[in-house]
């Protein structure tokens, strides 16, 4: 089985969200059983030297609407199956898709160049590929091109990591990208309220659609979660399936993690607390015997940061410590920066800091994840692997991976134990936190659950097999 995996971001080369982690860890697991080529844009921000990314002496042109776009092919010298496409329009700017959270106006062209480039690379190098796996709107055009321009025989598997981002552009794009109006500009295909929608094309033209958890596969067929594409997904649900993501068990491993203060595993669980003591000292949080609640993530409405912000002036009076790490939308960065140093038991760090994030996981007793919606979510899995309990809104992949500690008769073996809440309101969010505090007071029970979480299998082992099934 030979697979071509195309993604707009792959960890550690470039990352704006969980997609990059999946695009690294899923191919890594699949490579144990299949041949997997990965392709991503070689953004100017990728550290070529550090990762040994070298020119592969191969360039070609794509002509679109009378304009020549040159693509240079690069590869990872340590792994020639990792390919990188360089084109200046696609790659030479700061940030991957956004400029200060305003869209780049030419994103349609950038990712069309990439999509054409992926197919042309496969054809020109005569790669023997059975299945092309594409991800999110940035590579969705590959499905349309494969079916309407290139008439490829390869199976196209399209994964939706987040339906909130769709790639919607003016219809003049049809001409600019040399697409067939009659074939494509239809309301069940690429057309979208007299515009074009890349994600929608991916849904129509792919052979299989997957999304990153079973619950999200159902949710996106409803108006609330479907972000206007619910009907489109209902029509195409015969080829839609939910496969829960895994995390890399090599990268996220408390017994070998070099970023944390003290390594530990399930057998030496008591060593975990040394991490908390050191972190609290570093963050100026007193009384490290208190339960430590952490939030790690993008500051965006999806992640429930409004609840986080609004709860802080209540949590300041609790016998707990809170540590927040993240960055994101300008508005939220501003809100959080005003709260830095305001409360003695709450620390806020604004920025992306992998090393500090790992220390947070190693130290935390509870992870706060009150997402408004969450296609899969990876942080709750990382928290469990590091022996803590996630506090989650019961939506998407959070629902599939975490069961509430008071509801254990509904527990299946793939789920970890945490605290869950259904209604997205301050009342139920605070209720969840107070439940967590009451549980923590019963140390015997808390530790039993924390250790259970360390033995739950959220690696890719099971889910990679599911992908192999849909690839066939
Ligand atoms: C997106 C989703 C997140 C998911 C990730 C990887 O970032 O928001 O829930 O875990 O993609 O699939």
């Amino acid at each position: 089985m030979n697979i071509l995996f195309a993604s707009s971001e792959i960890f550690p080369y470039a990352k704006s969200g969980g997609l990059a982690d999946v695009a690294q860890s899923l191919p890594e697991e699949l490579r144990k059983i299949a041949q997997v080529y990965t392709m991503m844009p070689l953004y100017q921000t990728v550290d070529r030297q550090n990762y040994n990314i070298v020119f592969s002496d191969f360039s070609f042109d794509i002509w679109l609407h009378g304009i020549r776009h040159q693509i240079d092919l690069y590869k990872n010298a340590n792994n020639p199956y990792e390919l990188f496409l360089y084109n200046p329009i696609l790659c030479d700017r700061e940030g991957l898709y956004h400029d200060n959270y305003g869209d780049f106006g030419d994103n349609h062209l950038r990712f069309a160049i990439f999509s054409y480039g992926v197919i042309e690379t496969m054809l020109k190098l005569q790669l023997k590929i059975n299945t092309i796996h594409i991800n999110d709107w940035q590579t969705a055009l590959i499905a349309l091109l494969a079916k309407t321009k290139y008439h490829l025989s390869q199976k196209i598997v399209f994964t939706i990591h987040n339906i909130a981002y769709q790639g919607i552009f003016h219809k003049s794009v049809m001409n600019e990208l040399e697409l067939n109006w009659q074939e494509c500009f239809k309301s069940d295909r690429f057309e979208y309220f007299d515009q074009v929608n890349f994600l929608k094309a991916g849904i129509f033209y792919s052979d299989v659609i997957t999304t990153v958890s079973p619950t999200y596969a159902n949710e996106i067929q409803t108006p609330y979660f479907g972000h206007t594409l619910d009907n489109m997904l209902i029509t195409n649900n015969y080829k839609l399936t939910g496969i829960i993501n895994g995390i890399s068990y090599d990268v996220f491993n408390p017994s070998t993690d070099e970023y944390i203060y003290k390594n530990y595993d399930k057998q030496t669980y008591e060593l975990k607390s040394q991490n908390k003591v050191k972190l609290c000292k570093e963050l100026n949080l007193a009384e490290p015997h208190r339960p430590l609640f952490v939030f790690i993530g993008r500051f965006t409405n999806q992640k429930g940061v409004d609840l986080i912000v609004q709860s802080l002036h209540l949590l300041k009076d609790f016998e707990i410590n809170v540590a927040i790490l993240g960055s994101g939308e300008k508005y939220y960065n501003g809100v959080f920066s005003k709260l830095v140093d305001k409360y003695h038991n709450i620390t806020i760090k604004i920025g992306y800091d992998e090393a500090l994030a790992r220390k947070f996981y190693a130290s935390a007793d509870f992870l706060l994840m009150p997402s408004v919606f969450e296609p899969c979510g990876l942080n709750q899995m990382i928290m469990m692997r590091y022996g803590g309990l996630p506090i989650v809104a019961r939506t998407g992949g959070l629902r599939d991976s975490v069961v509430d500690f008071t509801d254990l008769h509904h527990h299946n073996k793939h789920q970890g134990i945490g605290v869950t809440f259904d209604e997205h309101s301050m009342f139920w969010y605070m209720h969840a936190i107070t439940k967590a505090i009451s549980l923590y007071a019963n140390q015997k029970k808390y530790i039993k659950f924390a250790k259970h979480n360390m033995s739950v299998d959220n690696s890719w082992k099971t889910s990679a097999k599911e992908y192999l099934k849909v690839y066939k």
Side-chain angles (χ1 to χ4, degrees), residues 238-257:
Y238 66 93
K239 58 177 179 179
L240 169 65
T241 142
I243 302 176
I244 191 132
N245 286 332
I247 54 171
S248 166
Y249 266 38
D250 297 329
V251 174
F252 301 107
N253 183 351
S255 64
T256 56
D257 193 328

Side-chain angles (χ1 to χ4, degrees), residues 17-19 22 161-162 212 245 298 302-303 374-378:
L19 167 61
V22 171
H161 296 262
N162 192 339
V212 290
N245 286 332
R298 265 179 300 139
Q302 177 198 340
K303 298 292 174 185
E374 196 62 79
C376 178
L378 303 171

